[in-house]
Amino acid sequence: MSQIKIQRLGLHGDGIADGPLYAPLTLPDEIVEGDVEGNTLKNMRVLQPSEHRVKAPCRHFKACGGCLLQHASDGFVATWKVDVVRQALAAQGLESNLLPIITSPSQSRRRAVLSARRTKKGALVGFHARASDIIVDVPDCQLLHPDLMPALEIVSELSQMAGSRKGALSATVTLAETGLDLAVSGGKPLDGALLAGLAQQAERFGLARLTWDGEVVATRMTPYQLFGAARIVPPPGAFLQATKEGEQALLAAVKRAISGGKVGVDLFAGCGTFTFPLAEKYQMHGIEGETSMVSALDAGWRGSSGLKQVTSERRDLFRNPVIAEDLRYDFAVIDPPRAGAEAQISELAKSHVSEIAYVSCNPVTFARDAAVLVASGYVLEWVQTVDQFRWSSHVELASRFIRK
């Protein structure tokens, strides 16, 4: 076995030694030994642990792949995630005021994708083991909100009832204001008997809504989310910020990034996470590529009161960005997927929008887009790092750009 010193953490949370050689679940400055297989260290043992190594708070950590960094102290993870943002900016020749990170607490995830597989004796429900299709039961998960935990039993029952022994079910479970909103895919095809059985299960477990392979089979209570004063009903399995605390941290940063004006545009608006809270002060136009989300956004506006006008538009901002001449707004909010918003940022860079609040879940593509804005005359005033995917390698942020 080879003895190796870990030099740093990579973007995916693995320790990296010279080579590069990747060693999962290690920390910088640790001395480890193991078998070198390709560029990975297997059968590893830590000989000299880091001062930042801690006992994992969850008993499932070693087997489950849902968390990657429970072996590191909270302070270390916080510093590392801010450094990920700093390094991404530096790679583009940028720097900014990096505000202290805001981290969501444990047991706060209100949305998760569970995997389930029928077995001879019942079902396995949980998350996949690292780099494996093996499903690990997680009855004492320290990540999920306590009100989300009953979904483990519910998905197990549904898997035994309508799952396949040949494949796994995927269940997106979301904590709505009225209960659990469950969207399942990969099960048996719907027929009359299964539809009736699923409806009975939804009633038995008190689900707010149950969707099966894209078809809503039961809605007992409207599964709405609160975005500011607006009640929004997202499409089944739709994107939602992972924790309420994370959403509030990002929203607070977006509000801080906007100093005034009357009219704003929300690009990649989703169902209105930022649109509706901002509509308490500003007239807003939300643009989103998914038809179902635009419908939810429009319905939310029509069902709300006490807000400024909210208009909405379905548009693929990757293929058909809003051109600079049409960006006649006092400010813009933009929250793209991990790929960033290269085409739309190119148009924003040519616009006269005075303030931009950019929210990102990928520091690398954010830094790439930020460099385009800075080169066109914008100033990146500050970046707020947000860790709502606790114990993972994911990093989110919000930022403020202003025209010189």
Side-chain angles (χ1 to χ4, degrees), residues 364-386:
V364 173
T365 56
F366 165 75
R368 178 203 67 198
D369 292 347
V372 174
L373 292 174
V374 170
S376 72
Y378 281 94
V379 174
L380 175 56
E381 281 206 336
W382 49 259
V383 178
Q384 171 69 71
T385 307
V386 175

Side-chain angles (χ1 to χ4, degrees), residues 322-346:
V322 183
I323 63 173
E325 290 79 2
D326 292 336
L327 288 168
R328 294 187 293 269
Y329 302 96
D330 298 316
F331 62 85
V333 179
I334 184 166
D335 181 14
R338 290 189 60 79
E342 195 168 11
Q344 187 58 72
I345 287 294
S346 178

Side-chain angles (χ1 to χ4, degrees), residues 19-312:
L21 185 65
Y22 297 91
L25 306 183
T26 60
L27 297 173
D29 297 325
E30 289 189 329
I31 305 297
V32 301
E33 69 174 5
D35 299 321
V36 177
E37 297 183 14
N39 63 350
T40 305
L41 198 64
K42 301 289 184 67
N43 305 318
M44 190 189 62
R45 185 164 68 96
V46 178
L47 302 178
Q48 294 183 22
S50 164
E51 62 178 338
H52 301 295
R53 179 173 286 274
V54 298
K55 181 181 179 181
C58 180
R59 69 180 179 90
H60 307 300
F61 175 62
K62 288 185 178 180
C64 175
C67 296
L68 298 175
L69 291 167
Q70 286 195 4
H71 60 296
S73 69
D74 288 348
F76 173 87
V77 175
T79 299
W80 175 69
K81 291 198 172 187
V82 174
D83 281 343
V84 167
V85 176
R86 180 181 290 107
Q87 291 167 16
L89 291 173
Q92 297 289 341
L94 302 175
E95 59 181 21
S96 184
N97 178 23
L98 302 184
L99 303 178
I101 192 171
I102 300 174
T103 301
S104 293
S106 61
Q107 297 182 305
S108 63
R109 283 286 295 275
R110 61 176 177 179
R111 182 179 185 274
V113 180
L114 301 173
S115 295
R117 188 186 301 274
R118 282 178 56 194
T119 65
K120 291 181 180 180
K121 297 182 179 180
L124 281 172
V125 181
F127 300 114
H128 286 283
R130 294 180 183 88
S132 170
D133 62 356
I134 296 173
I135 297 172
V136 179
D137 274 320
V138 288
D140 294 322
C141 179
Q142 298 299 301
L143 193 65
L144 303 182
H145 191 285
D147 292 341
L148 208 64
M149 291 299 290
L152 296 169
E153 178 188 351
I154 297 169
V155 173
S156 175
E157 294 267 358
L158 295 179
S159 179
Q160 294 173 62
M161 171 185 174
S164 169
R165 289 285 296 277
K166 296 181 180 180
L169 285 180
S170 179
T172 299
V173 57
T174 304
L175 186 58
E177 293 294 325
T178 51
L180 293 178
D181 184 9
L182 185 59
V184 181
S185 62
K188 293 179 180 178
L190 273 178
D191 56 22
L194 181 55
L195 186 62
L198 290 173
Q200 290 175 353
Q201 292 290 65
E203 185 69 30
R204 174 191 169 199
F205 289 114
L207 297 177
R209 178 171 62 182
L210 175 60
T211 306
W212 196 264
D213 280 326
E215 183 172 340
V216 177
V217 299
T219 302
R220 296 180 59 258
M221 293 171 286
T222 304
Y224 68 85
Q225 301 288 338
L226 289 174
F227 295 155
R231 290 188 175 190
I232 309 302
V233 184
F239 171 80
L240 185 72
Q241 296 294 342
T243 70
K244 281 192 175 182
E245 294 84 355
E247 179 181 292
Q248 290 304 309
L250 292 171
L251 175 59
V254 167
K255 288 182 174 180
R256 192 165 65 246
I258 299 165
S259 64
K262 295 182 178 180
V263 185
V265 63
D266 189 356
L267 302 161
F268 301 94
C271 296
T273 301
F274 304 120
T275 310
F276 288 107
L278 292 173
E280 295 172 9
K281 291 179 63 176
Y282 311 105
Q283 181 179 328
M284 294 297 299
H285 182 57
I287 303 177
E288 167 59 40
E290 294 290 334
T291 301
S292 59
M293 288 192 178
V294 175
S295 297
L297 199 156
D298 182 62
W301 153 245
R302 294 180 185 278
S304 300
S305 60
L307 299 177
K308 303 289 186 181
Q309 183 182 25
V310 175
T311 54
S312 55

